[in-house]
Amino acid sequence: MSDCTHDCSSCSENCGERQDPQSFLESPNPLSNIKKVIGVVSGKGGVGKSLVTSLLAAEMSKRGKAVSVLDADITGPSIPKIFGVCDKASGSEQGIYPVETESGIKLMSINLLLEDDTAPVVWRGPVIGGAVKQFWTDVIWGDVDYMFVDMPPGTGDVPLTVFQSIPVDGIIIVTSPQELVSMIVEKAVNMAKMMNIPIIGLVENMSWVNCPDCGKQIKIFGESKTAETAEKFNLPLLAQIPFDAKLASLCDKGAIEDIEDNPLKNAADMLK
């Protein structure tokens, strides 16, 4: 056709030159059987995305599910530390073997491949995206009921790579109470909609701190704006996590699997 724009996605004509939209989805390692992939994302850093990932993984593992965590935050990996994993990943001709935690959660993170955990990963975006893709294609995950992907903050190269190359079944967006963050959450919501990724709901972290004397909730960041954002986009607010010294201590000790009162139990109920 003389007026063809070669953009088949916006054209309703059924001509001989029509092409289906190209899929960038990658196949996992042949020895991997992953039933569900859940991405944990945030519009900005420092809101507790790795904490939420770890809590969800620990909760689903306690429910008897086979769980894995793909740490896609290449330049700021914290998953091994939270789970207290010090061993390094190994490999064979068949692929890379993830490291397992005490309860059997399978982990893959760049820190499991580096000799020095404190060595900075000074890579450009395409190299980082390639590493994340290899965590999906080259790692022998085995049978997994739920894989949680701890994403880097923002809407840049790596989240785009994950959304395009890994069949993500849904995402959970992590935020904190400030109005500034709620604006950035909208960016994450809009990116997910652009990529046709289902949004399971929002989790708010650092919602309040309980006064040690009277038990009153002190909202350090003021009144939360997250509920308004959730209502605006017709999304459920899955949980609000307060500041908790015991929870922070479990993360510092690498003992997140020992948590007794998981604040994301109700959120885990949504992962069907």
Side-chain angles (χ1 to χ4, degrees), residues 87-145:
D87 296 335
K88 298 300 179 182
S90 60
S92 68
E93 293 181 355
Q94 295 177 309
I96 305 170
Y97 296 100
V99 177
E100 292 193 20
T101 68
E102 290 185 359
S103 70
I105 298 174
K106 298 175 182 178
L107 308 181
M108 178 49 61
S109 171
I110 196 66
N111 265 13
L112 301 179
L113 300 174
L114 300 175
E115 290 186 10
D116 182 2
D117 289 349
T118 63
V121 180
V122 189
W123 296 348
R124 294 192 183 275
V127 180
I128 295 175
V132 172
K133 197 180 297 185
Q134 283 186 287
F135 285 175
W136 173 254
T137 60
D138 294 2
V139 173
I140 302 171
W141 293 104
D143 293 325
V144 173
D145 295 317

Side-chain angles (χ1 to χ4, degrees), residues 9-139:
S9 64
S10 60
C11 176
S12 61
E13 295 293 335
N14 189 21
C15 66
E17 297 181 7
R18 184 173 185 83
Q19 298 179 351
D20 293 330
Q22 184 179 1
S23 173
F24 295 98
L25 289 177
E26 298 279 352
S27 298
N29 185 283
L31 299 178
S32 300
N33 178 28
I34 303 162
K35 294 179 181 178
K36 272 202 170 183
V37 180
I38 308 297
V40 181
V41 309
S42 63
K44 67 183 295 296
V47 296
K49 175 177 43 58
S50 297
L51 170 65
V52 169
T53 301
S54 303
L55 287 172
L56 287 171
E59 177 63 23
M60 297 310 289
S61 179
K62 282 187 176 181
R63 297 185 183 191
K65 304 297 183 181
V67 177
S68 66
V69 177
L70 190 161
D71 189 356
D73 195 351
I74 301 296
T75 59
S78 56
I79 291 297
K81 171 68 175 175
I82 294 176
F83 282 95
V85 169
C86 300
D87 296 335
K88 298 300 179 182
S90 60
S92 68
E93 293 181 355
Q94 295 177 309
I96 305 170
Y97 296 100
V99 177
E100 292 193 20
T101 68
E102 290 185 359
S103 70
I105 298 174
K106 298 175 182 178
L107 308 181
M108 178 49 61
S109 171
I110 196 66
N111 265 13
L112 301 179
L113 300 174
L114 300 175
E115 290 186 10
D116 182 2
D117 289 349
T118 63
V121 180
V122 189
W123 296 348
R124 294 192 183 275
V127 180
I128 295 175
V132 172
K133 197 180 297 185
Q134 283 186 287
F135 285 175
W136 173 254
T137 60
D138 294 2
V139 173

Side-chain angles (χ1 to χ4, degrees), residues 47 175-182 204-208 219-227 240-241 243:
V47 296
T175 182
S176 57
Q178 306 103 302
E179 186 172 2
L180 169 65
V181 177
S182 68
E204 182 184 88
N205 189 31
M206 301 179 284
S207 298
W208 66 82
K219 299 180 179 179
I220 297 175
F221 295 114
E223 290 299 323
S224 171
K225 305 295 181 183
T226 305
Q240 291 178 295
I241 306 174
F243 285 95

